[in-house]
Amino acid sequence: MAVDPAFAVPPGWVGGFAQSDPAFAYPDPDLSSLPMLGNMDNIGKLQRQQKVLWPEFSWETVPGNPASRCFQMFAPDISRIGYDNEGRVYSIICPQQGTCSASLGCLNVEVSVTGQRGWVDEPERTLAADMTVAGKIWFTPSAKANPLVRFFWALFADNGLPFPADKARAIQVSTRRRKDPSQPVFPVRKGQTELFESPAFALHDHEAWTVGNVEVEIGPIATTGDEVVDGFNQLVMDVFNISSGNLLLPGNLLTWNVWFTEPSLVDQQEWRDHAEKWRKSIEADHGSPEGEGTPPRYFDGTPFTPSAERLERETDALTAYLTEHLETLSAPRLTRMANLGS
């Protein structure tokens, strides 16, 4: 990697954590002796960070068909890795993106870190970490102007049912290690992914300090035990995957190369504010105050566009859901109307 010689390790670096256990070393770092830490539990220990200005995601829009692979840079400077002067990782912030459905409007998607462990070695420009994450899907503010979204939201409110109108009530998407559904912990390792070649527009060799890669297999969504809610959440996921090219289709593999800026010192309050802003999505309509990402593209640069029949497929899915559940959802409202008329 050709890196700007002006890049430098800022003052205060001590190092040593990466070398504190021989099992941590490459070519196959084993971090299992470290506890998985809550992602916001140790912000007071953060002293250093590397920001991810170029989070380059990739997935097959038709699982099993390499020619269908898309590449998309999510919004910059949402993701970060934070650690202390010895190089022990204590927090990782992951990115947010979105897509728009022809029928339901725009949806946010975030890969939220639920646990992490690992190390960074600044002089060697390398790292190794493990993570657990949960995918989250919820409606953007603009989607709430959609008449169909308002219709469903009102029906859910009438029935006292949770509606994914914000991140706190988001649809939860499970994740796991590639080819190991029983393992929720998956690795973040140095270098680009070796599963496929990335196109020139997804490379940042001349801008980045270093690069790491992550691979996560998508699992099913979490169920609530309520048939109506679970059916609606699955409907939203189906519509999302129709619009996004199966980004979160169960069994599909989501891979990203994370291109880091040079190390910098952490302002712990700024870190908390940054994480909180994105936790609440205060400024987000699946966008970013630091600038937008890129649209999904195939290897040759051709833009990805959902299939021509996607609106028909979305309509069919919506019709099927309403046919099965509308009577149940409408009962409280009809009862109130009847009482008012009596």
Side-chain angles (χ1 to χ4, degrees):
M1 175 184 289
V3 182
D4 188 334
F7 286 169
V9 172
W13 173 256
V14 175
F17 189 74
Q19 296 78 31
S20 64
D21 186 331
F24 295 170
Y26 278 94
D28 187 21
D30 180 355
L31 308 178
S32 60
S33 63
L34 298 173
M36 295 294 291
L37 302 175
N39 206 40
M40 296 298 291
D41 292 349
N42 295 282
I43 304 306
K45 297 180 180 179
L46 294 181
Q47 296 169 299
R48 311 173 76 82
Q49 65 183 339
Q50 292 176 39
K51 299 180 180 181
V52 180
L53 285 192
W54 307 277
E56 294 282 359
F57 280 67
S58 183
W59 72 100
E60 291 178 349
T61 58
V62 180
N65 180 0
S68 74
R69 179 170 293 282
C70 264
F71 301 84
Q72 180 177 22
M73 191 183 83
F74 280 19
D77 196 23
I78 301 174
S79 303
R80 300 179 179 184
I81 187 167
Y83 47 98
D84 64 14
N85 287 334
E86 287 72 40
R88 181 170 184 173
V89 174
Y90 283 108
S91 187
I92 299 174
I93 300 175
C94 270
Q96 176 177 296
Q97 185 61 311
T99 191
C100 293
S101 148
S103 54
L104 292 180
C106 294
L107 297 158
N108 280 322
V109 55
E110 183 180 81
V111 183
S112 299
V113 179
T114 55
Q116 42 66 37
R117 61 191 178 199
W119 57 261
V120 168
D121 189 331
E122 286 187 354
E124 296 297 323
R125 299 183 186 183
T126 190
L127 78 163
D130 291 339
M131 293 196 305
T132 54
V133 305
K136 296 184 178 183
I137 299 284
W138 69 99
F139 287 99
T140 69
S142 67
K144 297 163 194 174
N146 181 298
L148 193 54
V149 172
R150 292 203 306 270
F151 169 75
F152 278 117
W153 197 351
L155 288 180
F156 273 53
D158 286 346
N159 287 270
L161 298 174
F163 187 81
D166 53 38
K167 187 172 175 179
R169 292 171 288 181
I171 300 167
Q172 305 286 325
V173 184
S174 63
T175 60
R176 56 214 186 187
R177 186 188 291 261
R178 181 168 67 101
K179 297 182 179 179
D180 189 355
S182 66
Q183 179 54 265
V185 179
F186 54 89
V188 184
R189 295 296 184 260
K190 68 177 182 179
Q192 298 183 58
T193 180
E194 297 180 354
L195 294 180
F196 52 83
E197 180 185 1
S198 293
F201 62 76
L203 301 178
H204 303 277
D205 306 66
H206 298 286
E207 306 162 284
W209 164 268
T210 190
V211 62
N213 71 87
V214 189
E215 300 159 3
V216 59
E217 187 174 301
I218 305 302
I221 63 173
T223 57
T224 66
D226 185 294
E227 182 181 351
V228 173
V229 174
D230 291 341
F232 181 76
N233 289 348
Q234 188 60 59
L235 168 68
V236 172
M237 288 304 303
D238 291 345
V239 168
F240 175 86
N241 281 316
I242 291 169
S243 300
S244 67
N246 293 317
L247 181 66
L248 295 181
L249 185 72
N252 210 357
L253 186 68
L254 181 59
T255 306
W256 62 102
N257 291 322
V258 284
W259 298 84
F260 295 95
T261 60
E262 69 273 21
S264 60
L265 301 181
V266 166
D267 177 330
Q268 293 176 0
Q269 187 57 52
E270 189 276 338
W271 183 286
R272 290 188 180 94
D273 292 345
H274 183 88
E276 183 72 0
K277 176 172 63 180
W278 288 104
R279 187 183 72 80
K280 291 184 175 179
S281 299
I282 292 172
E283 300 182 29
D285 198 86
H286 84 264
S288 167
E290 307 298 334
E292 297 300 325
T294 64
R297 291 174 281 178
Y298 296 107
F299 189 93
D300 65 359
T302 303
F304 164 79
T305 54
S307 60
E309 69 273 10
R310 72 161 170 160
L311 182 57
E312 181 180 349
R313 292 171 62 195
E314 290 183 16
T315 301
D316 289 345
L318 286 162
T319 301
Y321 177 81
L322 288 170
T323 299
E324 184 173 0
H325 297 295
L326 184 58
E327 184 176 352
T328 300
L329 284 168
S330 300
R333 177 170 291 187
L334 292 173
T335 300
R336 283 203 300 274
M337 291 174 64
N339 291 337
L340 287 172
S342 61

